[in-house]
Amino acid sequence: SIIAGMVLGYLSVPKHHISEFLIPEPETEETGQDIQQRHDTRIHVSIDSGAHLPSVLEELQYAVESDIYSFILSTPIPTSDSERTQLFQTLTRVQELHEDVRVWLALNCNPPASWLREHPDDTSTIKHEGMAYPSVGSDAWLSWTQELLQQLTQSLEGSIAEGYVNGFMLQALEKGHWTRSKSYDQSPSHAQGFQQWLRVHYSDVAALKVAWNEEMITEWGEITVPTPVVPEGVLPVFYTPKTSAMFIDYHHFLNERT
């Protein structure tokens, strides 16, 4: 009777089909989603003067063999014909890896030390880890960068038209992240840039005086970059419009310039 009960119990329990536990075979044909995901994956490498190009090309070849064809190439913005020629030659070597390769150029727009020495009024008074950077408000730096970008895009016109060079990522300031740490830049060009920004956003000095609650200002040229202060009990990222409009305007200026 015990054996009969065991048999009956076994027969009464529902049985799972083994096919429910099998891992399905991978599809042989690539789906549209697979293709999109493959093209969305990007490899970021540096091709600046310190990079070993054969090693970079070998790394990118491994990526191509893994069906990854989108590359972000990081380099300082070329400042001469010879540097633009060298960049074009590097891009040609990368393009030869596969016909589907597409690149984005991450351009470091910080000027070289020689430019900063020649433009002391356009150099930030704040250094980061011993490195000097241009002033955010500098029109000279802005013009210098725009001119170099125009020269570069003209030299790469063919690669851009055929879709090989897909775009540019502009990087600058601390570690290329457009960040400014520590204090406020007090350079002459930065102060002038702040004054120009205020002229656009206020109809006249009288309107500025009302907004800032500052009676001592009589003309635009008297305005300087504010000295950073931390109100008691308030984090420095929070300001009260009625009493700290100057600091609010200054941070709006920084955001628009970067």
Side-chain angles (χ1 to χ4, degrees), residues 11-38:
L11 293 176
S12 64
V13 175
K15 305 301 183 294
H16 293 286
H17 296 289
I18 191 169
S19 59
E20 295 177 10
F21 297 90
L22 293 178
I23 300 176
E25 293 292 329
E27 298 181 9
T28 56
E29 294 185 3
E30 195 174 31
T31 65
Q33 183 177 359
D34 294 332
I35 295 174
Q36 182 65 37
Q37 184 177 2
R38 174 162 55 84

mmCIF file of all heavy atoms in Angstrom, residues 11-38:
data_model
loop_
_atom_site.group_PDB
_atom_site.id
_atom_site.type_symbol
_atom_site.label_atom_id
_atom_site.label_comp_id
_atom_site.label_asym_id
_atom_site.label_seq_id
_atom_site.Cartn_x
_atom_site.Cartn_y
_atom_site.Cartn_z
ATOM 1 N N LEU A 11 2.256 10.415 -9.724
ATOM 2 C CA LEU A 11 1.449 10.669 -10.912
ATOM 3 C C LEU A 11 0.568 11.895 -10.745
ATOM 4 O O LEU A 11 0.177 12.523 -11.729
ATOM 5 C CB LEU A 11 0.573 9.432 -11.200
ATOM 6 C CG LEU A 11 1.337 8.167 -11.615
ATOM 7 C CD1 LEU A 11 0.370 6.990 -11.769
ATOM 8 C CD2 LEU A 11 2.101 8.398 -12.915
ATOM 9 N N SER A 12 0.246 12.273 -9.485
ATOM 10 C CA SER A 12 -0.650 13.416 -9.271
ATOM 11 C C SER A 12 0.067 14.759 -9.312
ATOM 12 O O SER A 12 -0.561 15.800 -9.380
ATOM 13 C CB SER A 12 -1.357 13.268 -7.921
ATOM 14 O OG SER A 12 -0.414 13.319 -6.862
ATOM 15 N N VAL A 13 1.420 14.768 -9.235
ATOM 16 C CA VAL A 13 2.188 16.020 -9.269
ATOM 17 C C VAL A 13 2.399 16.449 -10.715
ATOM 18 O O VAL A 13 2.834 15.637 -11.533
ATOM 19 C CB VAL A 13 3.555 15.842 -8.572
ATOM 20 C CG1 VAL A 13 4.386 17.110 -8.726
ATOM 21 C CG2 VAL A 13 3.358 15.488 -7.118
ATOM 22 N N PRO A 14 2.035 17.707 -11.076
ATOM 23 C CA PRO A 14 2.231 18.149 -12.455
ATOM 24 C C PRO A 14 3.709 18.163 -12.828
ATOM 25 O O PRO A 14 4.562 18.531 -12.025
ATOM 26 C CB PRO A 14 1.649 19.569 -12.457
ATOM 27 C CG PRO A 14 1.697 20.019 -11.031
ATOM 28 C CD PRO A 14 1.478 18.781 -10.218
ATOM 29 N N LYS A 15 3.995 17.746 -14.029
ATOM 30 C CA LYS A 15 5.390 17.649 -14.500
ATOM 31 C C LYS A 15 5.697 18.822 -15.429
ATOM 32 O O LYS A 15 4.866 19.197 -16.252
ATOM 33 C CB LYS A 15 5.599 16.318 -15.252
ATOM 34 C CG LYS A 15 5.218 15.096 -14.442
ATOM 35 C CD LYS A 15 6.038 15.033 -13.167
ATOM 36 C CE LYS A 15 5.732 13.787 -12.375
ATOM 37 N NZ LYS A 15 4.364 13.789 -11.862
ATOM 38 N N HIS A 16 6.903 19.395 -15.272
ATOM 39 C CA HIS A 16 7.347 20.485 -16.145
ATOM 40 C C HIS A 16 7.978 19.895 -17.394
ATOM 41 O O HIS A 16 8.726 18.917 -17.323
ATOM 42 C CB HIS A 16 8.380 21.360 -15.419
ATOM 43 C CG HIS A 16 7.791 22.118 -14.272
ATOM 44 N ND1 HIS A 16 6.975 23.202 -14.442
ATOM 45 C CD2 HIS A 16 7.886 21.913 -12.919
ATOM 46 C CE1 HIS A 16 6.612 23.670 -13.265
ATOM 47 N NE2 HIS A 16 7.142 22.901 -12.323
ATOM 48 N N HIS A 17 7.669 20.497 -18.532
ATOM 49 C CA HIS A 17 8.338 20.073 -19.753
ATOM 50 C C HIS A 17 9.774 20.582 -19.735
ATOM 51 O O HIS A 17 10.048 21.705 -19.352
ATOM 52 C CB HIS A 17 7.604 20.636 -20.976
ATOM 53 C CG HIS A 17 6.208 20.103 -21.101
ATOM 54 N ND1 HIS A 17 5.941 18.806 -21.453
ATOM 55 C CD2 HIS A 17 4.999 20.711 -20.900
ATOM 56 C CE1 HIS A 17 4.617 18.614 -21.474
ATOM 57 N NE2 HIS A 17 4.036 19.757 -21.149
ATOM 58 N N ILE A 18 10.658 19.742 -20.150
ATOM 59 C CA ILE A 18 12.073 20.107 -20.104
ATOM 60 C C ILE A 18 12.380 21.308 -20.975
ATOM 61 O O ILE A 18 13.305 22.070 -20.725
ATOM 62 C CB ILE A 18 12.946 18.894 -20.518
ATOM 63 C CG1 ILE A 18 14.421 19.192 -20.193
ATOM 64 C CG2 ILE A 18 12.767 18.587 -22.012
ATOM 65 C CD1 ILE A 18 15.310 17.987 -20.321
ATOM 66 N N SER A 19 11.580 21.553 -22.008
ATOM 67 C CA SER A 19 11.834 22.675 -22.912
ATOM 68 C C SER A 19 11.695 24.016 -22.198
ATOM 69 O O SER A 19 12.250 25.023 -22.632
ATOM 70 C CB SER A 19 10.880 22.632 -24.106
ATOM 71 O OG SER A 19 9.540 22.692 -23.658
ATOM 72 N N GLU A 20 10.941 24.042 -21.093
ATOM 73 C CA GLU A 20 10.766 25.296 -20.368
ATOM 74 C C GLU A 20 12.051 25.732 -19.673
ATOM 75 O O GLU A 20 12.202 26.886 -19.311
ATOM 76 C CB GLU A 20 9.653 25.144 -19.328
ATOM 77 C CG GLU A 20 8.278 24.900 -19.933
ATOM 78 C CD GLU A 20 7.237 24.697 -18.870
ATOM 79 O OE1 GLU A 20 7.545 24.926 -17.683
ATOM 80 O OE2 GLU A 20 6.120 24.300 -19.213
ATOM 81 N N PHE A 21 12.978 24.840 -19.493
ATOM 82 C CA PHE A 21 14.205 25.154 -18.769
ATOM 83 C C PHE A 21 15.416 25.289 -19.694
ATOM 84 O O PHE A 21 16.521 25.538 -19.248
ATOM 85 C CB PHE A 21 14.490 24.064 -17.721
ATOM 86 C CG PHE A 21 13.433 23.977 -16.666
ATOM 87 C CD1 PHE A 21 12.343 23.130 -16.838
ATOM 88 C CD2 PHE A 21 13.510 24.758 -15.528
ATOM 89 C CE1 PHE A 21 11.365 23.051 -15.857
ATOM 90 C CE2 PHE A 21 12.546 24.680 -14.544
ATOM 91 C CZ PHE A 21 11.461 23.832 -14.702
ATOM 92 N N LEU A 22 15.210 25.155 -20.967
ATOM 93 C CA LEU A 22 16.319 25.269 -21.907
ATOM 94 C C LEU A 22 16.563 26.730 -22.264
ATOM 95 O O LEU A 22 15.633 27.516 -22.408
ATOM 96 C CB LEU A 22 16.013 24.482 -23.191
ATOM 97 C CG LEU A 22 15.938 22.960 -23.033
ATOM 98 C CD1 LEU A 22 15.587 22.325 -24.373
ATOM 99 C CD2 LEU A 22 17.273 22.416 -22.521
ATOM 100 N N ILE A 23 17.821 27.130 -22.370
ATOM 101 C CA ILE A 23 18.174 28.487 -22.807
ATOM 102 C C ILE A 23 18.004 28.559 -24.307
ATOM 103 O O ILE A 23 18.554 27.740 -25.047
ATOM 104 C CB ILE A 23 19.634 28.805 -22.430
ATOM 105 C CG1 ILE A 23 19.808 28.712 -20.908
ATOM 106 C CG2 ILE A 23 20.029 30.182 -22.953
ATOM 107 C CD1 ILE A 23 21.226 28.926 -20.460
ATOM 108 N N PRO A 24 17.221 29.514 -24.796
ATOM 109 C CA PRO A 24 16.989 29.584 -26.237
ATOM 110 C C PRO A 24 18.265 29.863 -27.008
ATOM 111 O O PRO A 24 19.177 30.545 -26.524
ATOM 112 C CB PRO A 24 15.995 30.757 -26.369
ATOM 113 C CG PRO A 24 16.207 31.573 -25.131
ATOM 114 C CD PRO A 24 16.561 30.598 -24.064
ATOM 115 N N GLU A 25 18.333 29.328 -28.183
ATOM 116 C CA GLU A 25 19.490 29.546 -29.040
ATOM 117 C C GLU A 25 19.553 31.011 -29.473
ATOM 118 O O GLU A 25 18.530 31.636 -29.737
ATOM 119 C CB GLU A 25 19.399 28.654 -30.290
ATOM 120 C CG GLU A 25 19.525 27.165 -29.997
ATOM 121 C CD GLU A 25 20.928 26.820 -29.520
ATOM 122 O OE1 GLU A 25 21.876 27.500 -29.963
ATOM 123 O OE2 GLU A 25 21.061 25.887 -28.717
ATOM 124 N N PRO A 26 20.740 31.631 -29.508
ATOM 125 C CA PRO A 26 20.853 33.022 -29.938
ATOM 126 C C PRO A 26 20.440 33.183 -31.397
ATOM 127 O O PRO A 26 20.635 32.281 -32.212
ATOM 128 C CB PRO A 26 22.344 33.333 -29.749
ATOM 129 C CG PRO A 26 23.016 31.996 -29.784
ATOM 130 C CD PRO A 26 22.037 31.025 -29.180
ATOM 131 N N GLU A 27 19.853 34.338 -31.691
ATOM 132 C CA GLU A 27 19.434 34.594 -33.052
ATOM 133 C C GLU A 27 20.651 34.741 -33.952
ATOM 134 O O GLU A 27 21.652 35.345 -33.577
ATOM 135 C CB GLU A 27 18.594 35.877 -33.109
ATOM 136 C CG GLU A 27 17.310 35.788 -32.296
ATOM 137 C CD GLU A 27 16.511 37.072 -32.403
ATOM 138 O OE1 GLU A 27 16.880 37.927 -33.228
ATOM 139 O OE2 GLU A 27 15.527 37.217 -31.665
ATOM 140 N N THR A 28 20.546 34.201 -35.119
ATOM 141 C CA THR A 28 21.669 34.269 -36.053
ATOM 142 C C THR A 28 21.736 35.619 -36.752
ATOM 143 O O THR A 28 22.805 36.077 -37.112
ATOM 144 C CB THR A 28 21.551 33.153 -37.107
ATOM 145 O OG1 THR A 28 20.281 33.263 -37.757
ATOM 146 C CG2 THR A 28 21.651 31.788 -36.442
ATOM 147 N N GLU A 29 20.579 36.265 -36.926
ATOM 148 C CA GLU A 29 20.562 37.553 -37.594
ATOM 149 C C GLU A 29 20.515 38.672 -36.559
ATOM 150 O O GLU A 29 19.802 38.599 -35.564
ATOM 151 C CB GLU A 29 19.347 37.665 -38.521
ATOM 152 C CG GLU A 29 19.391 36.696 -39.704
ATOM 153 C CD GLU A 29 18.231 36.944 -40.660
ATOM 154 O OE1 GLU A 29 17.458 37.902 -40.401
ATOM 155 O OE2 GLU A 29 18.128 36.197 -41.639
ATOM 156 N N GLU A 30 21.297 39.724 -36.809
ATOM 157 C CA GLU A 30 21.368 40.853 -35.897
ATOM 158 C C GLU A 30 20.109 41.697 -36.034
ATOM 159 O O GLU A 30 19.690 42.047 -37.135
ATOM 160 C CB GLU A 30 22.601 41.696 -36.232
ATOM 161 C CG GLU A 30 22.981 42.682 -35.155
ATOM 162 C CD GLU A 30 24.293 43.374 -35.479
ATOM 163 O OE1 GLU A 30 24.575 43.563 -36.675
ATOM 164 O OE2 GLU A 30 25.025 43.719 -34.547
ATOM 165 N N THR A 31 19.495 42.017 -34.900
ATOM 166 C CA THR A 31 18.289 42.828 -34.929
ATOM 167 C C THR A 31 18.656 44.301 -35.017
ATOM 168 O O THR A 31 19.801 44.703 -34.803
ATOM 169 C CB THR A 31 17.461 42.591 -33.660
ATOM 170 O OG1 THR A 31 18.202 43.072 -32.519
ATOM 171 C CG2 THR A 31 17.148 41.118 -33.488
ATOM 172 N N GLY A 32 17.644 45.129 -35.307
ATOM 173 C CA GLY A 32 17.868 46.566 -35.387
ATOM 174 C C GLY A 32 18.352 47.139 -34.075
ATOM 175 O O GLY A 32 19.198 48.017 -34.030
ATOM 176 N N GLN A 33 17.836 46.608 -32.960
ATOM 177 C CA GLN A 33 18.267 47.073 -31.645
ATOM 178 C C GLN A 33 19.729 46.730 -31.394
ATOM 179 O O GLN A 33 20.476 47.511 -30.819
ATOM 180 C CB GLN A 33 17.383 46.450 -30.563
ATOM 181 C CG GLN A 33 17.708 46.940 -29.150
ATOM 182 C CD GLN A 33 16.781 46.361 -28.110
ATOM 183 O OE1 GLN A 33 15.880 45.597 -28.435
ATOM 184 N NE2 GLN A 33 16.988 46.725 -26.862
ATOM 185 N N ASP A 34 20.152 45.534 -31.839
ATOM 186 C CA ASP A 34 21.547 45.140 -31.677
ATOM 187 C C ASP A 34 22.458 46.084 -32.442
ATOM 188 O O ASP A 34 23.516 46.496 -31.960
ATOM 189 C CB ASP A 34 21.760 43.703 -32.165
ATOM 190 C CG ASP A 34 21.031 42.687 -31.295
ATOM 191 O OD1 ASP A 34 20.839 42.991 -30.103
ATOM 192 O OD2 ASP A 34 20.663 41.622 -31.810
ATOM 193 N N ILE A 35 22.047 46.422 -33.662
ATOM 194 C CA ILE A 35 22.863 47.309 -34.488
ATOM 195 C C ILE A 35 22.966 48.684 -33.849
ATOM 196 O O ILE A 35 24.044 49.285 -33.785
ATOM 197 C CB ILE A 35 22.261 47.415 -35.905
ATOM 198 C CG1 ILE A 35 22.324 46.045 -36.601
ATOM 199 C CG2 ILE A 35 22.998 48.461 -36.729
ATOM 200 C CD1 ILE A 35 21.624 46.017 -37.941
ATOM 201 N N GLN A 36 21.830 49.199 -33.319
ATOM 202 C CA GLN A 36 21.825 50.512 -32.691
ATOM 203 C C GLN A 36 22.717 50.521 -31.462
ATOM 204 O O GLN A 36 23.491 51.457 -31.242
ATOM 205 C CB GLN A 36 20.395 50.895 -32.310
ATOM 206 C CG GLN A 36 20.274 52.292 -31.685
ATOM 207 C CD GLN A 36 20.642 53.376 -32.663
ATOM 208 O OE1 GLN A 36 20.346 53.268 -33.844
ATOM 209 N NE2 GLN A 36 21.317 54.409 -32.178
ATOM 210 N N GLN A 37 22.635 49.450 -30.658
ATOM 211 C CA GLN A 37 23.457 49.371 -29.459
ATOM 212 C C GLN A 37 24.934 49.299 -29.817
ATOM 213 O O GLN A 37 25.773 49.906 -29.159
ATOM 214 C CB GLN A 37 23.053 48.152 -28.621
ATOM 215 C CG GLN A 37 23.821 48.060 -27.303
ATOM 216 C CD GLN A 37 23.337 46.891 -26.459
ATOM 217 O OE1 GLN A 37 22.467 46.147 -26.881
ATOM 218 N NE2 GLN A 37 23.906 46.746 -25.285
ATOM 219 N N ARG A 38 25.248 48.566 -30.884
ATOM 220 C CA ARG A 38 26.643 48.451 -31.299
ATOM 221 C C ARG A 38 27.199 49.804 -31.723
ATOM 222 O O ARG A 38 28.326 50.157 -31.388
ATOM 223 C CB ARG A 38 26.739 47.439 -32.450
ATOM 224 C CG ARG A 38 28.110 47.338 -33.080
ATOM 225 C CD ARG A 38 28.250 46.057 -33.878
ATOM 226 N NE ARG A 38 27.219 45.899 -34.868
ATOM 227 C CZ ARG A 38 27.285 46.446 -36.087
ATOM 228 N NH1 ARG A 38 28.300 47.203 -36.413
ATOM 229 N NH2 ARG A 38 26.325 46.251 -36.969
#
